[in-house]
Amino acid sequence: MYVFNFYPTHNHRHKSIDFKSDVDDLGFMRPWSPIEESGCQKQYETWYAAYLPIVVRRRCRWEKENPRRNIQRFVRKGIPHSFRKELWLRSCPSRKDGVWERHEVPNEVIKQIKLDLPRTFPDNKFLKTEKTRKTLGRALFAVAEHIPSVGYCQGLNFVAGIILLVVNDEARAIDLLVHLVSQRQGYYGKNMIGLRRDMHVLHSLLREHCPRVVVTLEKLDVGLDMLVGKWFVCWFVESLPMETVLRLWDCMIYEGDEWLFKVAVILFRSNMIAISSCETIDQLMTEIQNIGTSKAALYCHQLILKSAALPITNKSIEYLRVDAEKAIPE
């Protein structure tokens, strides 16, 4: 699995990746590090040779122009690292304003949080320190404290880790984490009703845009919740390359849940031939896992542009959710 990313400084002399550094700007191992054993250096180099000019060009546009005049277009084409924190926090309320009430957190939830702290990106340069793990623990405790219906769910630790790394401000990172989880709290909790509903919605979208995939799912009698439920629970963290996750989150935070569905549909469509050739559930699960290292997942700029072209909107998602809620059992 890819977890690395790379942000160049705004320097015209910067023409290539710094191969002397084993760690990227968010603290993850690069693929050419002797510690990294993914064997994906060549694929990464090929991708970044094409992606680096896009990153530099977009940063120049953000610094030169006023993106607020056409913010959606600018967000979809990529938020530079130096602007990402500002854009992510743009509509995020502060806990200081009393937006969320406080509730007692059960000891069992606290124990679960403590167990997952050392498991959260254990090789990350920043998150493996005791100080940062305590910060991560406070962030996850805040979710349980303000959203008792969620408490703690495995996977949220990775979501919280990325937010802390990008925002780099404990108070505002926690504000953003609680805000984003509160918008999707149906994905968590005991019955995960929101997740089951949205897997039903995704199934409907795949029937329309990738019918061959649905034929395979129905032939093997397997549900999407078992195959890709983690995509929605973790908002694709640990399932896609980190740069792809960040680009997806840029759009999701600014535009809404439609982007979870858009990207999921494009990933299925890009890997439709391999998926539709599966004869067993084991083969299918292997192909789904391989999506995370596929070319479609790595080439994030193309993935976002293809996803943007899909006629899937928040309004159409809400219509499908109404139907899905009638179809799924309580």
PDB file of all heavy atoms in Angstrom, residues 76 202 205 232 236 248 255 257-268 303-304 306-314 317:
ATOM      1  N   ARG A  76     -10.909  21.236  -7.173  1.00  0.00           N
ATOM      2  CA  ARG A  76     -10.875  19.981  -7.932  1.00  0.00           C
ATOM      3  C   ARG A  76      -9.545  19.764  -8.641  1.00  0.00           C
ATOM      4  O   ARG A  76      -9.123  18.619  -8.842  1.00  0.00           O
ATOM      5  CB  ARG A  76     -12.021  19.962  -8.955  1.00  0.00           C
ATOM      6  CG  ARG A  76     -13.385  19.814  -8.331  1.00  0.00           C
ATOM      7  CD  ARG A  76     -14.478  19.772  -9.379  1.00  0.00           C
ATOM      8  NE  ARG A  76     -15.789  19.503  -8.787  1.00  0.00           N
ATOM      9  CZ  ARG A  76     -16.895  19.299  -9.493  1.00  0.00           C
ATOM     10  NH1 ARG A  76     -16.857  19.364 -10.821  1.00  0.00           N
ATOM     11  NH2 ARG A  76     -18.040  19.060  -8.870  1.00  0.00           N
ATOM     12  N   LEU A 202     -24.432   2.898  -3.301  1.00  0.00           N
ATOM     13  CA  LEU A 202     -23.312   2.609  -4.201  1.00  0.00           C
ATOM     14  C   LEU A 202     -23.665   1.469  -5.143  1.00  0.00           C
ATOM     15  O   LEU A 202     -23.312   1.505  -6.332  1.00  0.00           O
ATOM     16  CB  LEU A 202     -22.063   2.260  -3.382  1.00  0.00           C
ATOM     17  CG  LEU A 202     -20.799   1.921  -4.177  1.00  0.00           C
ATOM     18  CD1 LEU A 202     -20.403   3.083  -5.095  1.00  0.00           C
ATOM     19  CD2 LEU A 202     -19.644   1.577  -3.238  1.00  0.00           C
ATOM     20  N   LEU A 205     -25.656   2.866  -7.921  1.00  0.00           N
ATOM     21  CA  LEU A 205     -24.820   3.639  -8.848  1.00  0.00           C
ATOM     22  C   LEU A 205     -23.971   2.719  -9.728  1.00  0.00           C
ATOM     23  O   LEU A 205     -23.778   2.997 -10.923  1.00  0.00           O
ATOM     24  CB  LEU A 205     -23.915   4.589  -8.057  1.00  0.00           C
ATOM     25  CG  LEU A 205     -24.632   5.728  -7.325  1.00  0.00           C
ATOM     26  CD1 LEU A 205     -23.661   6.465  -6.414  1.00  0.00           C
ATOM     27  CD2 LEU A 205     -25.261   6.695  -8.323  1.00  0.00           C
ATOM     28  N   PHE A 232     -15.549   3.809   2.981  1.00  0.00           N
ATOM     29  CA  PHE A 232     -16.399   4.887   3.473  1.00  0.00           C
ATOM     30  C   PHE A 232     -16.163   5.150   4.960  1.00  0.00           C
ATOM     31  O   PHE A 232     -16.236   6.296   5.400  1.00  0.00           O
ATOM     32  CB  PHE A 232     -17.871   4.544   3.206  1.00  0.00           C
ATOM     33  CG  PHE A 232     -18.302   4.808   1.785  1.00  0.00           C
ATOM     34  CD1 PHE A 232     -17.569   4.327   0.708  1.00  0.00           C
ATOM     35  CD2 PHE A 232     -19.439   5.545   1.513  1.00  0.00           C
ATOM     36  CE1 PHE A 232     -17.958   4.562  -0.604  1.00  0.00           C
ATOM     37  CE2 PHE A 232     -19.837   5.799   0.198  1.00  0.00           C
ATOM     38  CZ  PHE A 232     -19.093   5.307  -0.865  1.00  0.00           C
ATOM     39  N   PHE A 236     -11.341   6.364   2.607  1.00  0.00           N
ATOM     40  CA  PHE A 236     -10.310   5.840   1.717  1.00  0.00           C
ATOM     41  C   PHE A 236      -8.895   5.852   2.293  1.00  0.00           C
ATOM     42  O   PHE A 236      -7.958   5.442   1.614  1.00  0.00           O
ATOM     43  CB  PHE A 236     -10.319   6.560   0.366  1.00  0.00           C
ATOM     44  CG  PHE A 236     -11.499   6.187  -0.503  1.00  0.00           C
ATOM     45  CD1 PHE A 236     -12.668   6.931  -0.479  1.00  0.00           C
ATOM     46  CD2 PHE A 236     -11.431   5.093  -1.337  1.00  0.00           C
ATOM     47  CE1 PHE A 236     -13.754   6.588  -1.269  1.00  0.00           C
ATOM     48  CE2 PHE A 236     -12.509   4.736  -2.147  1.00  0.00           C
ATOM     49  CZ  PHE A 236     -13.676   5.486  -2.114  1.00  0.00           C
ATOM     50  N   LEU A 248      -8.875  13.639  -2.744  1.00  0.00           N
ATOM     51  CA  LEU A 248     -10.271  13.273  -2.534  1.00  0.00           C
ATOM     52  C   LEU A 248     -10.867  14.045  -1.364  1.00  0.00           C
ATOM     53  O   LEU A 248     -11.973  14.590  -1.459  1.00  0.00           O
ATOM     54  CB  LEU A 248     -10.371  11.767  -2.272  1.00  0.00           C
ATOM     55  CG  LEU A 248     -11.678  11.236  -1.659  1.00  0.00           C
ATOM     56  CD1 LEU A 248     -12.870  11.562  -2.542  1.00  0.00           C
ATOM     57  CD2 LEU A 248     -11.588   9.734  -1.427  1.00  0.00           C
ATOM     58  N   GLU A 255     -17.169  19.920  -1.039  1.00  0.00           N
ATOM     59  CA  GLU A 255     -18.418  19.687  -1.770  1.00  0.00           C
ATOM     60  C   GLU A 255     -19.360  18.667  -1.144  1.00  0.00           C
ATOM     61  O   GLU A 255     -20.556  18.679  -1.422  1.00  0.00           O
ATOM     62  CB  GLU A 255     -18.105  19.266  -3.209  1.00  0.00           C
ATOM     63  CG  GLU A 255     -17.383  20.329  -4.016  1.00  0.00           C
ATOM     64  CD  GLU A 255     -17.215  19.926  -5.465  1.00  0.00           C
ATOM     65  OE1 GLU A 255     -18.234  19.761  -6.157  1.00  0.00           O
ATOM     66  OE2 GLU A 255     -16.058  19.760  -5.903  1.00  0.00           O
ATOM     67  N   ASP A 257     -20.439  14.481   0.391  1.00  0.00           N
ATOM     68  CA  ASP A 257     -20.311  13.032   0.262  1.00  0.00           C
ATOM     69  C   ASP A 257     -20.356  12.523  -1.177  1.00  0.00           C
ATOM     70  O   ASP A 257     -19.969  11.382  -1.429  1.00  0.00           O
ATOM     71  CB  ASP A 257     -21.424  12.337   1.059  1.00  0.00           C
ATOM     72  CG  ASP A 257     -21.175  12.379   2.548  1.00  0.00           C
ATOM     73  OD1 ASP A 257     -20.049  12.736   2.947  1.00  0.00           O
ATOM     74  OD2 ASP A 257     -22.095  12.047   3.318  1.00  0.00           O
ATOM     75  N   GLU A 258     -20.851  13.322  -2.096  1.00  0.00           N
ATOM     76  CA  GLU A 258     -20.908  12.847  -3.483  1.00  0.00           C
ATOM     77  C   GLU A 258     -19.550  12.356  -3.954  1.00  0.00           C
ATOM     78  O   GLU A 258     -19.461  11.452  -4.800  1.00  0.00           O
ATOM     79  CB  GLU A 258     -21.409  13.949  -4.411  1.00  0.00           C
ATOM     80  CG  GLU A 258     -20.459  15.131  -4.578  1.00  0.00           C
ATOM     81  CD  GLU A 258     -21.020  16.216  -5.490  1.00  0.00           C
ATOM     82  OE1 GLU A 258     -21.992  16.892  -5.103  1.00  0.00           O
ATOM     83  OE2 GLU A 258     -20.468  16.380  -6.595  1.00  0.00           O
ATOM     84  N   TRP A 259     -18.471  12.902  -3.353  1.00  0.00           N
ATOM     85  CA  TRP A 259     -17.137  12.533  -3.805  1.00  0.00           C
ATOM     86  C   TRP A 259     -16.726  11.144  -3.357  1.00  0.00           C
ATOM     87  O   TRP A 259     -15.921  10.491  -4.018  1.00  0.00           O
ATOM     88  CB  TRP A 259     -16.124  13.602  -3.389  1.00  0.00           C
ATOM     89  CG  TRP A 259     -16.131  14.692  -4.402  1.00  0.00           C
ATOM     90  CD1 TRP A 259     -16.888  15.818  -4.397  1.00  0.00           C
ATOM     91  CD2 TRP A 259     -15.401  14.706  -5.626  1.00  0.00           C
ATOM     92  NE1 TRP A 259     -16.666  16.555  -5.539  1.00  0.00           N
ATOM     93  CE2 TRP A 259     -15.750  15.897  -6.312  1.00  0.00           C
ATOM     94  CE3 TRP A 259     -14.476  13.845  -6.205  1.00  0.00           C
ATOM     95  CZ2 TRP A 259     -15.219  16.227  -7.556  1.00  0.00           C
ATOM     96  CZ3 TRP A 259     -13.938  14.184  -7.444  1.00  0.00           C
ATOM     97  CH2 TRP A 259     -14.303  15.352  -8.095  1.00  0.00           C
ATOM     98  N   LEU A 260     -17.255  10.659  -2.269  1.00  0.00           N
ATOM     99  CA  LEU A 260     -16.993   9.278  -1.882  1.00  0.00           C
ATOM    100  C   LEU A 260     -17.554   8.331  -2.942  1.00  0.00           C
ATOM    101  O   LEU A 260     -16.913   7.345  -3.319  1.00  0.00           O
ATOM    102  CB  LEU A 260     -17.626   8.974  -0.525  1.00  0.00           C
ATOM    103  CG  LEU A 260     -17.062   9.719   0.688  1.00  0.00           C
ATOM    104  CD1 LEU A 260     -17.906   9.432   1.921  1.00  0.00           C
ATOM    105  CD2 LEU A 260     -15.605   9.343   0.939  1.00  0.00           C
ATOM    106  N   PHE A 261     -18.750   8.649  -3.424  1.00  0.00           N
ATOM    107  CA  PHE A 261     -19.403   7.811  -4.426  1.00  0.00           C
ATOM    108  C   PHE A 261     -18.762   7.968  -5.802  1.00  0.00           C
ATOM    109  O   PHE A 261     -18.569   6.980  -6.527  1.00  0.00           O
ATOM    110  CB  PHE A 261     -20.891   8.156  -4.502  1.00  0.00           C
ATOM    111  CG  PHE A 261     -21.648   7.864  -3.239  1.00  0.00           C
ATOM    112  CD1 PHE A 261     -21.856   8.849  -2.284  1.00  0.00           C
ATOM    113  CD2 PHE A 261     -22.148   6.598  -2.994  1.00  0.00           C
ATOM    114  CE1 PHE A 261     -22.554   8.575  -1.122  1.00  0.00           C
ATOM    115  CE2 PHE A 261     -22.849   6.310  -1.830  1.00  0.00           C
ATOM    116  CZ  PHE A 261     -23.049   7.302  -0.882  1.00  0.00           C
ATOM    117  N   LYS A 262     -18.444   9.187  -6.182  1.00  0.00           N
ATOM    118  CA  LYS A 262     -17.822   9.429  -7.481  1.00  0.00           C
ATOM    119  C   LYS A 262     -16.526   8.628  -7.624  1.00  0.00           C
ATOM    120  O   LYS A 262     -16.305   7.924  -8.624  1.00  0.00           O
ATOM    121  CB  LYS A 262     -17.506  10.924  -7.647  1.00  0.00           C
ATOM    122  CG  LYS A 262     -18.679  11.840  -7.935  1.00  0.00           C
ATOM    123  CD  LYS A 262     -18.206  13.287  -7.916  1.00  0.00           C
ATOM    124  CE  LYS A 262     -19.287  14.297  -8.224  1.00  0.00           C
ATOM    125  NZ  LYS A 262     -19.629  14.357  -9.662  1.00  0.00           N
ATOM    126  N   VAL A 263     -15.659   8.747  -6.619  1.00  0.00           N
ATOM    127  CA  VAL A 263     -14.367   8.074  -6.682  1.00  0.00           C
ATOM    128  C   VAL A 263     -14.543   6.566  -6.643  1.00  0.00           C
ATOM    129  O   VAL A 263     -13.869   5.820  -7.378  1.00  0.00           O
ATOM    130  CB  VAL A 263     -13.446   8.558  -5.545  1.00  0.00           C
ATOM    131  CG1 VAL A 263     -12.207   7.678  -5.421  1.00  0.00           C
ATOM    132  CG2 VAL A 263     -13.037  10.007  -5.790  1.00  0.00           C
ATOM    133  N   ALA A 264     -15.445   6.077  -5.808  1.00  0.00           N
ATOM    134  CA  ALA A 264     -15.693   4.635  -5.732  1.00  0.00           C
ATOM    135  C   ALA A 264     -16.147   4.086  -7.082  1.00  0.00           C
ATOM    136  O   ALA A 264     -15.668   3.036  -7.536  1.00  0.00           O
ATOM    137  CB  ALA A 264     -16.735   4.336  -4.657  1.00  0.00           C
ATOM    138  N   VAL A 265     -17.045   4.790  -7.753  1.00  0.00           N
ATOM    139  CA  VAL A 265     -17.549   4.334  -9.056  1.00  0.00           C
ATOM    140  C   VAL A 265     -16.430   4.314 -10.094  1.00  0.00           C
ATOM    141  O   VAL A 265     -16.286   3.339 -10.854  1.00  0.00           O
ATOM    142  CB  VAL A 265     -18.711   5.233  -9.532  1.00  0.00           C
ATOM    143  CG1 VAL A 265     -19.046   4.950 -11.003  1.00  0.00           C
ATOM    144  CG2 VAL A 265     -19.949   5.004  -8.663  1.00  0.00           C
ATOM    145  N   ILE A 266     -15.607   5.359 -10.136  1.00  0.00           N
ATOM    146  CA  ILE A 266     -14.511   5.404 -11.109  1.00  0.00           C
ATOM    147  C   ILE A 266     -13.494   4.294 -10.842  1.00  0.00           C
ATOM    148  O   ILE A 266     -12.972   3.663 -11.766  1.00  0.00           O
ATOM    149  CB  ILE A 266     -13.818   6.780 -11.098  1.00  0.00           C
ATOM    150  CG1 ILE A 266     -14.752   7.838 -11.668  1.00  0.00           C
ATOM    151  CG2 ILE A 266     -12.517   6.746 -11.910  1.00  0.00           C
ATOM    152  CD1 ILE A 266     -15.144   7.615 -13.134  1.00  0.00           C
ATOM    153  N   LEU A 267     -13.203   4.018  -9.578  1.00  0.00           N
ATOM    154  CA  LEU A 267     -12.257   2.948  -9.249  1.00  0.00           C
ATOM    155  C   LEU A 267     -12.799   1.598  -9.700  1.00  0.00           C
ATOM    156  O   LEU A 267     -12.062   0.770 -10.253  1.00  0.00           O
ATOM    157  CB  LEU A 267     -11.975   2.936  -7.750  1.00  0.00           C
ATOM    158  CG  LEU A 267     -11.135   4.095  -7.217  1.00  0.00           C
ATOM    159  CD1 LEU A 267     -11.077   4.053  -5.690  1.00  0.00           C
ATOM    160  CD2 LEU A 267      -9.721   4.076  -7.802  1.00  0.00           C
ATOM    161  N   PHE A 268     -14.075   1.359  -9.479  1.00  0.00           N
ATOM    162  CA  PHE A 268     -14.685   0.110  -9.947  1.00  0.00           C
ATOM    163  C   PHE A 268     -14.682   0.048 -11.470  1.00  0.00           C
ATOM    164  O   PHE A 268     -14.374  -0.990 -12.066  1.00  0.00           O
ATOM    165  CB  PHE A 268     -16.117  -0.004  -9.430  1.00  0.00           C
ATOM    166  CG  PHE A 268     -16.242  -0.700  -8.107  1.00  0.00           C
ATOM    167  CD1 PHE A 268     -16.557   0.016  -6.961  1.00  0.00           C
ATOM    168  CD2 PHE A 268     -16.053  -2.070  -7.996  1.00  0.00           C
ATOM    169  CE1 PHE A 268     -16.670  -0.614  -5.732  1.00  0.00           C
ATOM    170  CE2 PHE A 268     -16.165  -2.715  -6.778  1.00  0.00           C
ATOM    171  CZ  PHE A 268     -16.480  -1.992  -5.635  1.00  0.00           C
ATOM    172  N   LEU A 303      -7.851  10.711 -11.791  1.00  0.00           N
ATOM    173  CA  LEU A 303      -8.971  10.124 -11.052  1.00  0.00           C
ATOM    174  C   LEU A 303      -9.977  11.196 -10.640  1.00  0.00           C
ATOM    175  O   LEU A 303     -11.195  11.008 -10.791  1.00  0.00           O
ATOM    176  CB  LEU A 303      -8.445   9.396  -9.809  1.00  0.00           C
ATOM    177  CG  LEU A 303      -9.486   8.828  -8.846  1.00  0.00           C
ATOM    178  CD1 LEU A 303     -10.318   7.748  -9.509  1.00  0.00           C
ATOM    179  CD2 LEU A 303      -8.817   8.271  -7.588  1.00  0.00           C
ATOM    180  N   ILE A 304      -9.478  12.319 -10.149  1.00  0.00           N
ATOM    181  CA  ILE A 304     -10.374  13.398  -9.723  1.00  0.00           C
ATOM    182  C   ILE A 304     -11.116  14.009 -10.910  1.00  0.00           C
ATOM    183  O   ILE A 304     -12.323  14.276 -10.842  1.00  0.00           O
ATOM    184  CB  ILE A 304      -9.587  14.494  -8.970  1.00  0.00           C
ATOM    185  CG1 ILE A 304      -9.015  13.936  -7.662  1.00  0.00           C
ATOM    186  CG2 ILE A 304     -10.467  15.704  -8.699  1.00  0.00           C
ATOM    187  CD1 ILE A 304     -10.052  13.445  -6.672  1.00  0.00           C
ATOM    188  N   LYS A 306     -11.865  12.558 -13.795  1.00  0.00           N
ATOM    189  CA  LYS A 306     -12.868  11.592 -14.272  1.00  0.00           C
ATOM    190  C   LYS A 306     -14.054  11.537 -13.320  1.00  0.00           C
ATOM    191  O   LYS A 306     -15.209  11.449 -13.742  1.00  0.00           O
ATOM    192  CB  LYS A 306     -12.239  10.203 -14.401  1.00  0.00           C
ATOM    193  CG  LYS A 306     -11.257  10.055 -15.549  1.00  0.00           C
ATOM    194  CD  LYS A 306     -10.648   8.655 -15.567  1.00  0.00           C
ATOM    195  CE  LYS A 306      -9.639   8.509 -16.689  1.00  0.00           C
ATOM    196  NZ  LYS A 306      -8.999   7.157 -16.684  1.00  0.00           N
ATOM    197  N   SER A 307     -13.770  11.603 -12.012  1.00  0.00           N
ATOM    198  CA  SER A 307     -14.837  11.570 -11.022  1.00  0.00           C
ATOM    199  C   SER A 307     -15.728  12.808 -11.139  1.00  0.00           C
ATOM    200  O   SER A 307     -16.954  12.720 -11.008  1.00  0.00           O
ATOM    201  CB  SER A 307     -14.242  11.489  -9.616  1.00  0.00           C
ATOM    202  OG  SER A 307     -13.472  10.313  -9.443  1.00  0.00           O
ATOM    203  N   ALA A 308     -15.100  13.947 -11.391  1.00  0.00           N
ATOM    204  CA  ALA A 308     -15.852  15.199 -11.512  1.00  0.00           C
ATOM    205  C   ALA A 308     -16.834  15.153 -12.675  1.00  0.00           C
ATOM    206  O   ALA A 308     -17.885  15.810 -12.643  1.00  0.00           O
ATOM    207  CB  ALA A 308     -14.886  16.364 -11.681  1.00  0.00           C
ATOM    208  N   ALA A 309     -16.507  14.375 -13.707  1.00  0.00           N
ATOM    209  CA  ALA A 309     -17.350  14.309 -14.904  1.00  0.00           C
ATOM    210  C   ALA A 309     -18.588  13.437 -14.716  1.00  0.00           C
ATOM    211  O   ALA A 309     -19.521  13.487 -15.526  1.00  0.00           O
ATOM    212  CB  ALA A 309     -16.527  13.783 -16.083  1.00  0.00           C
ATOM    213  N   LEU A 310     -18.625  12.648 -13.645  1.00  0.00           N
ATOM    214  CA  LEU A 310     -19.781  11.778 -13.417  1.00  0.00           C
ATOM    215  C   LEU A 310     -21.006  12.600 -13.004  1.00  0.00           C
ATOM    216  O   LEU A 310     -20.897  13.529 -12.213  1.00  0.00           O
ATOM    217  CB  LEU A 310     -19.474  10.759 -12.310  1.00  0.00           C
ATOM    218  CG  LEU A 310     -18.570   9.582 -12.665  1.00  0.00           C
ATOM    219  CD1 LEU A 310     -18.290   8.755 -11.416  1.00  0.00           C
ATOM    220  CD2 LEU A 310     -19.215   8.704 -13.738  1.00  0.00           C
ATOM    221  N   PRO A 311     -22.182  12.244 -13.506  1.00  0.00           N
ATOM    222  CA  PRO A 311     -23.417  12.971 -13.144  1.00  0.00           C
ATOM    223  C   PRO A 311     -23.974  12.500 -11.800  1.00  0.00           C
ATOM    224  O   PRO A 311     -25.142  12.129 -11.681  1.00  0.00           O
ATOM    225  CB  PRO A 311     -24.352  12.626 -14.301  1.00  0.00           C
ATOM    226  CG  PRO A 311     -23.933  11.242 -14.714  1.00  0.00           C
ATOM    227  CD  PRO A 311     -22.428  11.212 -14.538  1.00  0.00           C
ATOM    228  N   ILE A 312     -23.118  12.511 -10.782  1.00  0.00           N
ATOM    229  CA  ILE A 312     -23.515  12.120  -9.424  1.00  0.00           C
ATOM    230  C   ILE A 312     -23.408  13.364  -8.554  1.00  0.00           C
ATOM    231  O   ILE A 312     -22.337  13.958  -8.444  1.00  0.00           O
ATOM    232  CB  ILE A 312     -22.614  11.002  -8.871  1.00  0.00           C
ATOM    233  CG1 ILE A 312     -22.733   9.741  -9.733  1.00  0.00           C
ATOM    234  CG2 ILE A 312     -22.967  10.687  -7.424  1.00  0.00           C
ATOM    235  CD1 ILE A 312     -21.745   8.649  -9.351  1.00  0.00           C
ATOM    236  N   THR A 313     -24.512  13.757  -7.954  1.00  0.00           N
ATOM    237  CA  THR A 313     -24.532  14.967  -7.137  1.00  0.00           C
ATOM    238  C   THR A 313     -25.055  14.648  -5.737  1.00  0.00           C
ATOM    239  O   THR A 313     -25.648  13.590  -5.505  1.00  0.00           O
ATOM    240  CB  THR A 313     -25.440  16.038  -7.770  1.00  0.00           C
ATOM    241  OG1 THR A 313     -26.796  15.546  -7.767  1.00  0.00           O
ATOM    242  CG2 THR A 313     -25.014  16.342  -9.202  1.00  0.00           C
ATOM    243  N   ASN A 314     -24.849  15.576  -4.814  1.00  0.00           N
ATOM    244  CA  ASN A 314     -25.387  15.387  -3.469  1.00  0.00           C
ATOM    245  C   ASN A 314     -26.905  15.240  -3.502  1.00  0.00           C
ATOM    246  O   ASN A 314     -27.485  14.473  -2.727  1.00  0.00           O
ATOM    247  CB  ASN A 314     -24.994  16.565  -2.575  1.00  0.00           C
ATOM    248  CG  ASN A 314     -23.524  16.527  -2.189  1.00  0.00           C
ATOM    249  OD1 ASN A 314     -22.969  15.483  -1.881  1.00  0.00           O
ATOM    250  ND2 ASN A 314     -22.880  17.687  -2.216  1.00  0.00           N
ATOM    251  N   ILE A 317     -27.751  11.766  -4.635  1.00  0.00           N
ATOM    252  CA  ILE A 317     -27.411  10.843  -3.552  1.00  0.00           C
ATOM    253  C   ILE A 317     -28.519  10.832  -2.504  1.00  0.00           C
ATOM    254  O   ILE A 317     -28.908   9.767  -1.997  1.00  0.00           O
ATOM    255  CB  ILE A 317     -26.066  11.224  -2.897  1.00  0.00           C
ATOM    256  CG1 ILE A 317     -24.904  11.024  -3.866  1.00  0.00           C
ATOM    257  CG2 ILE A 317     -25.836  10.411  -1.622  1.00  0.00           C
ATOM    258  CD1 ILE A 317     -24.698   9.612  -4.325  1.00  0.00           C
TER     259      ILE A 317
END
